[in-house]
Amino acid sequence: MWSNLPFDVLAKIFSFLSPDSLARARSTCRHWNACVDTYPIATSFILLSLHHRAWFLALPTRNRGQHCYVHNPVIDNWHLLSLDFLPDPVRPVASIGALILVRPTNCTVLQLALCNPFTRQFRYLPMSNISRTNPAVGVVTLDSVQHGPNPNFRVYVAGGMSEAPRGGAMYELKLEMYDSMDDTWHVVGFVPTEFAVRLTVWTPNESVYSNGVLYWMTSARAYSVMGYEIDGHRWRGFGVPMADKLEFAALLCHNGGLTLVGGASEGEACIWGLKEGDRWGLIQKVPMEMGRKLLGGKSWGSIKCVGSEEAIYLYKELGSGMVVWREMEEKARWAWFWIEGCHSIGGNQVPNLPIKGFFLHPNLFPFTF
């Protein structure tokens, strides 16, 4: 019976499978494999992103071997993915649907690339118009097919150091933007000197896009936020709650708005949402028992955070476990969960590595741009 089903019916059934289950299904027989190849859109980003949560991707921060780890939230299972297809060691910058934006670590001048760890694809983006070191990078996804193999997106590069006209180095004030639609970099504005300095010295690569504004968090205590209004070409800065007491702070996008997650020296971690007038309102507090379990006797300064519209993860090392605030399946409420860390895969013990986490919607179909 299964071998006689029309491709469109079979593809509809496949759309409910997670990417790892879909990969096993397509290897069952030629008929099923041909169905996946014939109806890639139906069995990939449109329906899969609706039926399944994003996966947590953990990249070792010290490049210990060319591999990464991914957690499937549907069946609560960890997988090991080889990254031996990468031509150079890389540092992750941001996730873009099913892709990861990375920069090679063997070059001081900014160079960006895209990779899909599931299809083992890698592609360098064109070099920017201005050679610069240590700039801030921001990503904006443009359309609703952001989880597909070819999302439309823009990358903004601000600050950094470039070569001065008479030799030496200077803070770069030109703002550049890469557009995936034309595969080209454009100079789109300027950065005030004060912001260029802060973006270069105190800002990690992570950015958040919300309601037409790109945001970066300064890493210097006391923490603060810088925002760039894309349409109005305006820069602004504002503070965060408990700025001088936070031991870690991260920006996320939650319910369509800018969200702050931070842990204070007194032992509490909280989630705040940005309101009108650049004011913050408390949304949630991390349950004390889960917080203590995550910290393991250490300070909040050892914690990292990653978030999406459907979940917020607080994590430390690969094997330390994660505190998760996640939307329930009925989408009527959010709840706190504990996810065990990765200790072994396929019976083989996994070392407890420092990691950098991202959310990714796995896609088994190659990108073509």
Side-chain angles (χ1 to χ4, degrees):
M1 180 186 75
W2 286 93
S3 61
N4 295 324
L5 283 177
F7 274 3
D8 57 340
V9 176
L10 196 57
K12 175 65 175 180
I13 297 172
F14 286 166
S15 72
F16 291 90
L17 299 179
S18 62
D20 51 347
S21 298
L22 179 61
R24 288 192 291 269
R26 72 179 299 168
S27 65
T28 301
C29 64
R30 292 181 179 179
H31 181 71
W32 287 17
N33 183 66
C35 173
V36 174
D37 288 337
T38 305
Y39 286 82
I41 293 181
T43 56
S44 61
F45 58 90
I46 293 179
L47 294 175
L48 284 177
S49 62
L50 294 176
H51 298 318
H52 300 292
R53 298 188 180 102
W55 290 22
F56 178 80
L57 176 80
L59 285 151
T61 58
R62 297 175 183 172
N63 291 318
R64 295 184 180 180
Q66 291 182 305
H67 54 262
C68 66
Y69 304 85
V70 290
H71 178 260
N72 180 350
V74 179
I75 58 176
D76 190 21
N77 193 29
W78 286 91
H79 302 273
L80 176 67
L81 294 181
S82 174
L83 300 178
D84 58 4
F85 65 94
L86 298 177
D88 301 298
V90 298
R91 185 174 71 201
V93 176
S95 61
I96 307 174
L99 308 177
I100 307 174
L101 183 69
V102 299
R103 60 171 302 178
T105 59
N106 59 357
C107 180
T108 57
V109 175
L110 179 68
Q111 168 76 85
L112 297 173
L114 291 171
C115 75
N116 184 331
F118 293 89
T119 60
R120 298 172 58 84
Q121 286 182 283
F122 179 90
R123 177 193 180 246
Y124 280 110
L125 299 187
M127 291 294 294
S128 59
N129 298 308
I130 303 167
S131 296
R132 59 178 97 197
T133 60
N134 201 39
V137 178
V139 177
V140 177
T141 305
L142 298 177
D143 52 35
S144 59
V145 295
Q146 57 181 296
H147 305 316
N150 299 299
N152 297 324
F153 64 94
R154 291 173 179 169
V155 180
Y156 290 82
V157 174
M161 304 296 294
S162 61
E163 185 177 352
R166 298 183 180 180
M170 66 177 187
Y171 289 106
E172 180 54 57
L173 304 184
K174 291 186 177 69
L175 176 68
E176 289 187 273
M177 182 268 290
Y178 168 82
D179 193 334
S180 66
M181 298 290 287
D182 59 12
D183 196 29
T184 304
W185 287 91
H186 310 268
V187 176
V188 294
F190 293 87
V191 183
T193 302
E194 174 191 356
F195 286 88
V197 173
R198 293 168 63 189
L199 288 166
T200 304
V201 179
W202 297 115
T203 305
N205 276 326
E206 292 86 351
S207 68
V208 173
Y209 176 72
S210 174
N211 297 319
V213 182
L214 263 175
Y215 296 98
W216 289 270
M217 172 76 74
T218 61
S219 59
R221 296 175 62 184
Y223 288 100
S224 64
V225 176
M226 289 176 290
Y228 172 63
E229 299 177 19
I230 294 177
D231 290 340
H233 303 285
R234 291 187 296 268
W235 291 86
R236 77 179 197 269
F238 52 94
V240 301
M242 304 174 64
D244 57 343
K245 296 181 180 180
L246 294 179
E247 295 180 338
F248 97 97
L251 294 177
L252 314 168
C253 188
H254 170 67
N255 282 342
L258 185 67
T259 304
L260 168 70
V261 181
S265 54
E266 287 84 358
E268 282 192 328
C270 300
I271 302 174
W272 295 272
L274 186 66
K275 299 182 177 181
E276 291 185 10
D278 293 337
R279 296 179 296 107
W280 296 94
L282 180 65
I283 299 176
Q284 277 280 324
K285 290 186 177 181
V286 176
M288 292 294 292
E289 292 184 4
M290 287 189 181
R292 285 195 292 265
K293 185 176 182 180
L294 177 65
L295 292 176
K298 297 183 180 181
S299 70
W300 283 105
S302 63
I303 302 302
K304 299 174 184 177
C305 182
V306 63
S308 70
E309 290 290 351
E310 59 192 30
I312 294 175
Y313 283 36
L314 285 83
Y315 65 94
K316 193 167 53 175
E317 291 94 9
L318 181 63
S320 300
M322 296 180 286
V323 174
V324 177
W325 191 45
R326 188 171 62 201
E327 186 178 25
M328 303 298 290
E329 289 187 2
E330 61 270 20
K331 297 185 182 298
R333 64 186 181 91
W334 286 58
W336 290 96
F337 297 88
W338 175 264
I339 294 180
E340 291 296 335
C342 181
H343 303 286
S344 65
I345 297 178
N348 298 316
Q349 188 173 0
V350 173
N352 190 24
L353 303 171
I355 58 172
K356 180 65 178 176
F358 292 92
F359 280 128
L360 205 66
H361 281 271
N363 196 296
L364 302 178
F365 301 95
F367 61 81
T368 57
F369 55 80

